[in-house]
Amino acid sequence: RRSRWQPPSPPYRTPTRRRPAEATTTSPPAAAAAAARRELILVAADAIKGDLPWGAPGAASDAAAVVLEVQSADGSDPEMIRGLCRAVCWPSLLLEGVEMEADLGSGTSKVAELVADAGRGLYRLFSRREVQWMLHLQRQGEVNAIAAGLRPNLEL
């Protein structure tokens, strides 16, 4: 009688299937590249909005001499283009929403709360100037609400 073939005993290992590259976790170099890409997008957005700081604090610099000229833009990276559009357009639209809330005088600040929500991360898209402007508009909305009688006037 012939015996059936049996696999060798351990340390024999069955071959494991490798997961596709998309399913694997992000490697440290890939994560660093993604973080660098996000930072580059935010710097480019600040340059487009004119919000780049052009000198060291306290240093005498002629900001008028610095001119940002864009010769061409490579649109071959759709992720970069989408990120750049998001970083330029979303703050602009949300600031218009905060301004409308302030003009209505209803005393609500839903748009500013939406921007400040850490879970959404919209605050990362705003430059320092835009955050200051949003806070100014929110305060103006509170003043308008007090003037309209929707908020009690708390005089000390």
Side-chain angles (χ1 to χ4, degrees):
R1 258 181 158 180
R2 289 182 131 178
S3 65
R4 291 188 178 187
W5 179 84
Q6 295 178 355
S9 58
Y12 175 81
R13 287 189 303 191
T14 58
T16 57
R17 293 183 123 197
R18 295 187 115 185
R19 290 189 284 175
E22 298 83 33
T24 59
T25 58
T26 307
S27 64
R37 172 178 271 166
R38 282 190 303 270
E39 290 300 317
L40 180 63
I41 288 170
L42 293 178
V43 169
D46 284 347
I48 289 171
K49 294 184 242 180
D51 290 336
L52 283 181
W54 291 110
S61 65
D62 188 11
V66 178
V67 177
L68 178 67
E69 292 185 19
V70 178
Q71 298 296 327
S72 67
D74 182 14
S76 63
D77 188 355
E79 183 181 338
M80 288 280 282
I81 299 300
R82 276 194 303 270
L84 189 58
C85 289
R86 189 178 305 122
V88 172
C89 296
W90 274 105
S92 175
L93 291 171
L94 291 169
L95 281 171
E96 287 183 26
V98 171
E99 189 169 4
M100 283 187 262
E101 277 184 339
D103 288 344
L104 290 175
S106 62
T108 62
S109 58
K110 300 282 186 197
V111 179
E113 291 170 10
L114 176 77
V115 171
D117 184 14
R120 293 186 188 270
L122 290 174
Y123 64 91
R124 292 185 196 112
L125 302 175
F126 283 73
S127 67
R128 182 177 182 168
R129 179 189 56 83
E130 289 169 326
V131 169
Q132 289 174 342
W133 182 244
M134 183 179 61
L135 292 173
H136 168 75
L137 290 172
Q138 188 178 5
R139 284 191 294 267
Q140 187 63 40
E142 288 294 321
V143 169
N144 291 346
I146 291 171
L150 297 174
R151 296 256 198 257
N153 190 356
L154 302 175
E155 294 183 20
L156 297 177

